[in-house]
Amino acid sequence: MSGASTVSASEAHKLVWEGAIPLLIHLHDSEVTTLPPPPPALVLAPRLGYLPLLISQLKPYFSSTLPPGVDTLWFEYKGLPLKWYIPTGVLFDLLCAEPERPWNLTVHFRGYPSNLLLPCEGEDSVKWSFINSLKEAAYVINGNCKNVMNMSQPDQVELWRSVLNGNLESYQRVSSKLKLVTLEDEYTENINAVPTASQENSGEGDAAAQVKSGRIPVRLYVWTLTEDFDDLESAPQIDNWDKVSYINRPVEIHKEDGKYFSLHDAIKTLLPEYFPASSFGNLGDASTNLSVADEGENTCDPDSSSLPLENAEIKLVRIQGIEPCLEIPFSWVVNNLMNPEYFLHICICLKVSEANAVQ
Amino acid sequence: MNQKESERNLIPWDGALSSSDFFCAASAFSEKWKRFNPSVPPWLWVPSPKHHLLSSHKEEGYLSLEGMCFIKSSEDQKSCRSQTWKEESSISQEEEAVDNAALVQSCFDEVNHYDFHIVYSPSYRVPVLYFRSYHSDGQPLPFDEIEKDLPNHSAKIHLESKWTFITQEEHPYLNRPWYKLHPCGTSEWMKLLFHGDASLNKNGFVIEHYLVSWFSVIGQVFGLKIPLAMLETVSC
């Protein structure tokens, strides 16, 4: 048994829900109208939360010095405007290769970069984005989002409040009603009976349809290095979102009896271009099966067909701030490390050759 | 018949597509569009930029139709607005003619430019329409102005729908805010369009006609019509 199994499910959930990033937040120079400038604010931001939700904590620090105008809150790290709908912990894991404690961020209350960032009108926008992601996750898992759409108003309120306040008990109470089952832990007995939409809809004994499968909502944030660094602190900073490949694609599981599916396997199915040795033949996405492709007319770049496939080297995998052993069961990772909207967020750094780098 | 095809023939079709099917469907759609809609800009396949090297096969990308201009005539205020779509280049020709004639009042209230992208969603397993709109000077249109460009029935559905059918989201590839038509119900109504007929799965019929059918519904949100001749290729 791997080390992961010594932490019980509820312990792991508690640790994840209690996870927080200490932030040292500086008001941008252009918005300081008083001397001396206000000192930075030190706040503890929940990993599972979102930066705009910190406004109530931050406003008191800076309100007396802000220029006149309407507040439009946004954050940046070393010049990079931060996408507010990415959970705080994920932003930290992605952008701070060498974790910085406290994490120094710059806050703005004016001059929202609306050509770059989606508008954010406070808590409502964040809540909407959260619910939308939850619906998408439900669709991935169940093939429909009825359970989320049909949530009672009080349940919806309690679900959001539990995320806002980091209240795991309350969250588990409401979320269990959604019956979003991802995977059975592979090290428990009887891994075969996973209720999935494909099994329910497959109808009368149709052999081809009774594939034991599941789809797991995953969001991958990939950045690349072309050389080794002694420590990640000296690695080039992500200064542009174009340097991150955001892959919002479910992992498809096809369980064969006795076969073990690790975190490493899951990553390889999501990045088959970099791990060509593994081809998980499956019914659709992330497949290297080109037999159906119509190579007739398309305006595709002709060079892309002759791309050298290479085995990239995984330099770093971070989930909820930890660097898990890649051989642990993917089911454990999903069940214990996913975010409250049922997505598993994985930050990955790959070492590749110059030609295959992301931007 | 390979394994994939034989499996597809057995499973009742769920209205959705795999990502490799999407590439085929996109090729078929853009080819038909060019054939039946020669006066309009073509749909171009854009291999996913920056993701280029991370895609599972080279067919990862999206369809792009840019530079469509939506013109409202200044005369029709109360009655049904005349809505015309033209491509950018034809507009500039007309504007030149106007200038040359030295008219004080321009013929058009305003020209709004639209870019449309059809992007595959691996979560919903269907195509999704993304769009953005901007004035001739490049300034993005605020949403209430976009709503005015939509035919009356679209705007009404949007206001009444609790599903918030047009939403603003980040473009999956371009790291910029775009608008999208929410994909939640797509597989349901696509199933209906093909009468849930599993036999249509044979020989890739569904894939070839998927986007034509899909666009015949989606395009109506913007009053973009598919020529009848193009639709007729789908009827069976």
Side-chain angles (χ1 to χ4, degrees):
Chain A
M1 286 280 195
S2 68
S5 64
T6 62
V7 180
S8 73
S10 58
E11 270 180 67
H13 284 137
K14 255 194 251 160
L15 289 172
V16 166
W17 276 67
E18 286 166 8
I21 319 281
L23 305 178
L24 194 58
I25 299 183
H26 310 253
L27 181 63
H28 193 260
D29 284 342
S30 65
E31 299 177 23
V32 178
T33 61
T34 56
L35 278 175
L42 185 63
V43 301
L44 201 57
R47 276 194 154 270
L48 302 180
Y50 302 85
L51 290 174
L53 300 176
L54 300 174
I55 189 171
S56 52
Q57 287 177 266
L58 292 176
K59 195 67 202 287
Y61 276 89
F62 302 122
S63 51
S64 53
T65 188
L66 289 173
V70 176
D71 289 343
T72 49
L73 190 73
W74 59 286
F75 296 82
E76 61 163 292
Y77 176 56
K78 294 191 173 169
L80 180 72
L82 300 183
K83 298 184 183 185
W84 55 265
Y85 42 87
I86 298 182
T88 306
V90 179
L91 286 171
F92 182 66
D93 290 342
L94 176 65
L95 299 175
C96 257
E98 193 56 52
E100 198 183 288
R101 289 192 172 90
W103 192 23
N104 283 280
L105 295 182
T106 304
V107 70
H108 296 253
F109 287 82
R110 305 281 182 268
Y112 197 87
S114 46
N115 57 329
L116 297 174
L117 292 182
L118 283 177
C120 180
E121 270 115 47
E123 189 189 313
D124 276 345
S125 298
V126 184
K127 177 182 173 190
W128 188 92
S129 172
F130 174 84
I131 297 286
N132 209 40
S133 295
L134 179 63
K135 282 189 203 160
E136 185 181 338
Y139 197 96
V140 169
I141 295 167
N142 283 343
N144 65 73
C145 22
K146 289 185 203 151
N147 50 3
V148 179
M149 308 278 284
N150 294 337
M151 268 177 96
S152 71
Q153 188 63 4
D155 277 349
Q156 267 195 47
V157 170
E158 195 184 343
L159 183 74
W160 176 242
R161 295 235 134 258
S162 68
V163 174
L164 259 186
N165 303 329
N167 187 333
L168 176 58
E169 264 177 50
S170 164
Y171 171 78
Q172 281 176 331
R173 195 168 45 240
V174 189
S175 64
S176 56
K177 295 188 200 177
L178 292 173
K179 300 208 188 310
L180 287 170
V181 179
T182 47
L183 292 171
E184 295 287 335
D185 286 337
E186 279 195 271
Y187 55 85
T188 53
E189 296 158 49
N190 191 19
I191 61 174
N192 297 324
V194 177
T196 63
S198 60
Q199 285 184 317
E200 283 158 30
N201 296 339
S202 63
E204 305 58 81
D206 188 351
Q210 275 168 14
V211 174
K212 297 182 182 72
S213 68
R215 297 208 310 150
I216 311 297
V218 175
R219 287 178 173 167
L220 219 58
Y221 307 81
V222 184
W223 52 290
T224 55
L225 292 175
T226 50
E227 50 181 293
D228 277 311
F229 290 92
D230 283 337
D231 61 79
L232 286 168
E233 221 160 44
S234 22
Q237 184 64 37
I238 295 173
D239 56 3
N240 188 320
W241 285 105
D242 291 339
K243 294 199 171 148
V244 177
S245 262
Y246 169 63
I247 298 177
N248 182 19
R249 187 185 302 155
V251 169
E252 300 214 8
I253 312 283
H254 293 270
K255 295 233 205 100
E256 287 145 52
D257 292 358
K259 233 188 162 174
Y260 174 95
F261 195 74
S262 67
L263 173 60
H264 199 189
D265 292 331
I267 291 174
K268 286 190 286 190
T269 62
L270 287 175
L271 302 173
E273 194 91 276
Y274 284 115
F275 304 99
S278 63
S279 53
F280 288 82
N282 57 38
L283 288 175
D285 304 350
S287 170
T288 51
N289 176 2
L290 297 177
S291 63
V292 186
D294 175 12
E295 313 234 26
E297 32 208 338
N298 58 72
T299 47
C300 235
D301 176 3
D303 289 339
S304 62
S305 56
S306 56
L307 265 181
L309 297 179
E310 62 167 88
N311 271 308
E313 202 188 314
I314 296 179
K315 297 306 280 186
L316 187 64
V317 174
R318 253 190 216 135
I319 308 176
Q320 300 295 3
I322 66 180
E323 290 163 41
C325 162
L326 294 182
E327 294 317 309
I328 68 178
F330 185 59
S331 55
W332 190 93
V333 175
V334 172
N335 291 334
N336 292 285
L337 301 183
M338 68 177 160
N339 275 46
E341 80 286 7
Y342 283 81
F343 268 92
L344 181 69
H345 299 256
I346 308 179
C347 297
I348 300 187
C349 176
L350 296 178
K351 179 165 157 259
V352 296
S353 67
E354 196 79 49
N356 289 329
V358 178
Q359 236 240 17
Chain B
M1 204 189 278
N2 66 19
Q3 192 220 13
K4 213 164 149 177
E5 280 181 51
S6 61
E7 272 167 359
R8 223 209 313 275
N9 287 342
L10 291 170
I11 302 169
W13 187 50
D14 60 359
L17 281 180
S18 73
S19 96
S20 48
D21 287 345
F22 173 72
F23 176 71
C24 300
S27 303
F29 178 67
S30 66
E31 187 270 329
K32 285 206 173 96
W33 177 275
K34 233 186 312 191
R35 210 185 334 146
F36 292 100
N37 255 335
S39 57
V40 201
W43 286 91
L44 297 176
W45 179 260
V46 181
S48 54
K50 286 101 191 177
H51 287 249
H52 187 66
L53 299 155
L54 295 179
S55 54
S56 50
H57 30 72
K58 67 184 195 300
E59 294 99 3
E60 182 148 330
Y62 56 90
L63 277 173
S64 162
L65 176 65
E66 298 190 358
M68 288 297 282
C69 295
F70 185 84
I71 310 149
K72 288 194 297 275
S73 168
S74 49
E75 296 107 46
D76 311 69
Q77 293 289 329
K78 288 180 193 168
S79 57
C80 59
R81 288 182 307 219
S82 75
Q83 297 159 348
T84 343
W85 285 98
K86 290 196 177 193
E87 70 175 304
E88 260 164 5
S89 51
S90 66
I91 295 217
S92 48
Q93 282 166 15
E94 288 169 37
E95 278 179 352
E96 276 169 25
V98 169
D99 287 338
N100 288 341
L103 289 176
V104 173
Q105 183 189 14
S106 105
C107 290
F108 309 116
D109 230 6
E110 200 159 79
V111 178
N112 294 336
H113 301 253
Y114 281 77
D115 292 339
F116 297 100
H117 288 180
I118 304 179
V119 188
Y120 178 74
S121 162
S123 297
Y124 291 95
R125 298 177 58 237
V126 292
V128 182
L129 186 75
Y130 283 81
F131 67 95
R132 67 175 173 184
S133 177
Y134 42 95
H135 296 295
S136 302
D137 62 3
Q139 272 291 92
L141 249 67
F143 188 70
D144 51 5
E145 281 196 46
I146 293 180
E147 261 188 324
K148 288 190 212 146
D149 286 346
L150 304 180
N152 288 333
H153 58 264
S154 275
K156 193 159 172 288
I157 291 172
H158 178 249
L159 292 172
E160 291 175 357
S161 166
K162 65 175 174 129
W163 284 21
T164 45
F165 124 115
I166 293 180
T167 63
Q168 197 170 15
E169 271 187 37
E170 191 172 276
H171 192 289
Y173 296 115
L174 301 179
N175 287 319
R176 291 286 182 282
W178 278 58
Y179 288 95
K180 83 175 198 193
L181 294 193
H182 205 282
C184 217
T186 301
S187 61
E188 297 300 311
W189 52 259
M190 280 306 296
K191 231 185 342 192
L192 289 177
L193 280 182
F194 283 88
H195 309 294
D197 187 352
S199 68
L200 291 177
N201 270 335
K202 291 199 177 75
N203 305 317
F205 179 88
V206 163
I207 297 172
E208 206 192 313
H209 299 290
Y210 191 98
L211 279 175
V212 176
S213 303
W214 176 84
F215 195 80
S216 69
V217 176
I218 292 285
Q220 289 181 49
V221 173
F222 296 92
L224 283 167
K225 297 194 171 56
I226 292 211
L228 197 58
M230 194 166 159
L231 274 177
E232 276 166 2
T233 64
V234 186
S235 56
C236 44

